[in-house]
Amino acid sequence: MAETKLLRFWEKHDLGRDNLAAVSLHSHTNCSKESLYFLPKLAERWPILKRALDTQCKKSAIPVDFVRAFWRPPLTPKLALEIEKHQIEEVLGLASLVSLTDHDSIEAPAMLRATPGAERVPLSLEWSVPFGAAKFHLGVHNLPPGRAQEIVADLAAYTRSPSDQYLSELMAMLDQFPEVLIIFNHPLWNLCSLGGQQSGEVLNRFLHKNAKFLHAFELNAMRSSKENNGVIELAERWERPLISGGDRHGCDPNGALNLTRTACFSEFVHEIRRELRSHVLLMPRYAEPMTIRTIRTLLDVIRNYPEFPAGSRRWDERVFHLDRSGLTDRPISTLWKEPPAFVEQIFSVIRLLENSTMERMFRSVTRRDTRLDLPSKISPEISS
């Protein structure tokens, strides 16, 4: 039977008593491509924004394609690794195990493994899995170095041309590697915005075919407590342990970690897969209102970083779109003389929240709810 324990950092537990290390899972670097598909749907809720966006699209000499366009998070792989290690080693006083998971790419960990001191960073990614009308995300951690590039190519081939049989074959192949960990990331987050009933039907069909290859379900630090409560119920139904996922896209460290008695990532995988034992730690970021967590990430994404390498200092250098040829992705900073006025006006308003007084005022009117409704099969020490 799966055993999940959960602690809250702000309750002042003695974390070092039974643990050697903490594990940071599911965070992104500037090697990750983050889709902009959501912008038109977001604009539908704000008529002023929709009119401004429609006007700008009509002015553009290049047809605007929000599905193909993407943005990159601000942190380099080295900086992303450092902030995760700092939180674990300096704040918690434990050894750090960090697995970075960019979308459909192992570029970041492969780059880090070539640098002194990071040779044991696991080769991991967040795999985009189209399934029926939905698209799920799986965290695939600790690929075997000698096969990693070949496996990533196979996963990409499925993403381009999905079929149910091929998916199950790939997941069975991954499951055969004893040191690989497969996590169902934010399983109730519906990337394709399906209706509730349709989404549930697709999810159930996916799980009936592939749950035996999933080693844990993710409690995601960037999702709401309501959604995470649903994941808790889902994990109980399918008898899988819960596991942490920070889903960091900005500059703050992950808001959820795993504690472990083990000293290396492969041993941690054994703890999850074979012992079915997971010890999740919620960090203070998770106690913040969901809206605050989202805005903090947005501020990181639109902030200028003059100390960064040329080409990644401004937000419009980190957003990409096809050029006139329709063949090459280019930073949008190279496709216009300056950002549209309405975009800068919106960003100026958002940046007001960097002021501590404004943030306190906004926080005071934002709902705070970190209660998790924990079922009986989860250790009673984590009850609210």
Side-chain angles (χ1 to χ4, degrees):
M1 180 183 297
E3 174 191 345
T4 298
K5 296 182 180 180
L6 188 146
L7 296 178
R8 299 167 178 86
F9 176 79
W10 53 91
E11 293 176 347
K12 309 299 182 184
H13 299 276
D14 181 7
L15 302 177
R17 184 179 61 188
D18 299 315
N19 303 291
L20 292 177
V23 189
S24 170
L25 300 162
H26 191 180
S27 61
H28 298 266
T29 78
N30 67 354
C31 295
S32 194
K33 291 184 177 182
E34 308 288 338
S35 176
L36 288 171
Y37 77 95
F38 64 90
L39 276 180
K41 292 183 179 179
L42 178 65
E44 292 288 343
R45 305 177 189 175
W46 305 90
I48 295 176
L49 176 59
K50 185 177 187 310
R51 284 197 297 271
L53 193 62
D54 289 345
T55 299
Q56 188 62 38
C57 289
K58 290 176 182 177
K59 288 181 180 178
S60 176
I62 301 172
V64 178
D65 185 343
F66 288 106
V67 175
R68 292 285 301 275
F70 63 91
W71 61 278
R72 294 188 184 275
L75 292 183
T76 64
K78 182 175 183 293
L79 289 173
L81 178 64
E82 286 175 353
I83 68 162
E84 297 299 334
K85 286 171 63 70
H86 180 271
Q87 173 171 247
I88 294 171
E89 296 173 5
E90 302 300 324
V91 178
L92 302 184
L94 298 172
S96 60
L97 302 173
V98 180
S99 185
L100 304 172
T101 51
D102 290 325
H103 288 286
D104 305 302
S105 170
I106 58 169
E107 180 183 355
M111 190 185 309
L112 287 169
R113 286 169 69 92
T115 63
E119 297 89 348
R120 298 181 68 186
V121 169
L123 293 169
S124 308
L125 75 160
E126 185 173 26
W127 179 25
S128 302
V129 181
F131 187 85
K135 182 181 287 185
F136 300 116
H137 284 172
L138 302 183
V140 182
H141 299 262
N142 205 34
L143 292 172
R147 295 278 308 278
Q149 294 294 350
E150 172 192 347
I151 291 172
V152 171
D154 289 341
L155 302 185
Y158 169 84
T159 301
R160 290 191 302 270
S161 181
S163 75
D164 289 5
Q165 180 178 346
Y166 189 26
L167 174 60
S168 297
E169 290 172 357
L170 286 174
M171 293 184 67
M173 176 269 293
L174 291 170
D175 183 59
Q176 288 174 359
F177 294 104
E179 297 182 347
V180 168
L181 183 64
I182 308 173
I183 299 172
F184 197 174
N185 288 352
H186 43 67
L188 298 182
W189 175 62
N190 194 331
L191 190 62
C192 294
S193 301
L194 302 177
Q197 181 177 350
Q198 186 181 6
S199 176
E201 290 172 354
V202 174
L203 175 62
N204 285 334
R205 188 162 64 86
F206 171 78
L207 288 172
H208 277 293
K209 287 180 174 291
N210 301 297
K212 58 182 173 291
F213 307 123
L214 297 169
H215 306 136
F217 288 7
E218 180 192 63
L219 277 181
N220 187 294
M222 289 301 296
R223 308 305 300 168
S224 68
S225 291
K226 179 180 179 181
E227 183 175 315
N228 280 332
N229 283 331
V231 174
I232 290 171
E233 295 175 1
L234 195 68
E236 180 185 36
R237 190 183 316 149
W238 289 92
E239 299 183 338
R240 292 294 182 274
L242 296 160
I243 201 167
S244 65
D247 206 3
R248 177 190 48 73
H249 288 77
C251 299
D252 287 329
N254 275 345
L257 303 167
N258 257 70
L259 300 172
T260 178
R261 303 171 189 173
T262 66
C264 72
F265 199 87
S266 295
E267 292 175 357
F268 168 68
V269 173
H270 179 86
E271 193 173 70
I272 301 296
R273 288 187 58 167
R274 302 306 174 200
E275 299 177 21
L276 299 179
R277 180 163 49 86
S278 178
H279 198 162
V280 176
L281 175 67
L282 298 180
M283 298 302 289
R285 292 288 178 224
Y286 187 83
E288 294 181 332
M290 179 67 190
T291 305
I292 293 291
R293 284 178 265 164
T294 303
I295 288 175
R296 288 176 68 95
T297 297
L298 179 57
L299 286 168
D300 287 343
V301 169
I302 66 175
R303 187 177 292 119
N304 292 329
Y305 299 91
E307 72 279 14
F308 278 19
S312 60
R313 295 168 182 163
R314 301 198 318 270
W315 71 266
D316 61 348
E317 295 175 327
R318 301 188 295 270
V319 177
F320 294 78
H321 193 281
L322 291 172
D323 62 12
R324 290 177 182 272
S325 71
L327 300 174
T328 305
D329 293 313
R330 298 195 184 279
I332 60 174
S333 60
T334 66
L335 303 178
W336 57 29
K337 293 181 180 179
E338 59 183 4
F342 82 93
V343 173
E344 288 298 334
Q345 289 167 1
I346 292 171
F347 285 179
S348 295
V349 172
I350 296 171
R351 289 182 180 119
L352 290 175
L353 294 172
E354 293 191 283
N355 178 281
S356 58
T357 302
M358 290 293 295
E359 182 178 335
R360 284 195 299 272
M361 291 176 58
F362 189 78
R363 191 184 295 270
S364 68
V365 298
T366 305
R367 184 168 180 256
R368 180 180 182 271
D369 182 9
T370 59
R371 182 175 60 88
L372 295 177
D373 298 324
L374 302 164
S376 58
K377 290 185 180 179
I378 297 179
S379 171
E381 83 173 65
I382 66 175
S383 58
S384 298

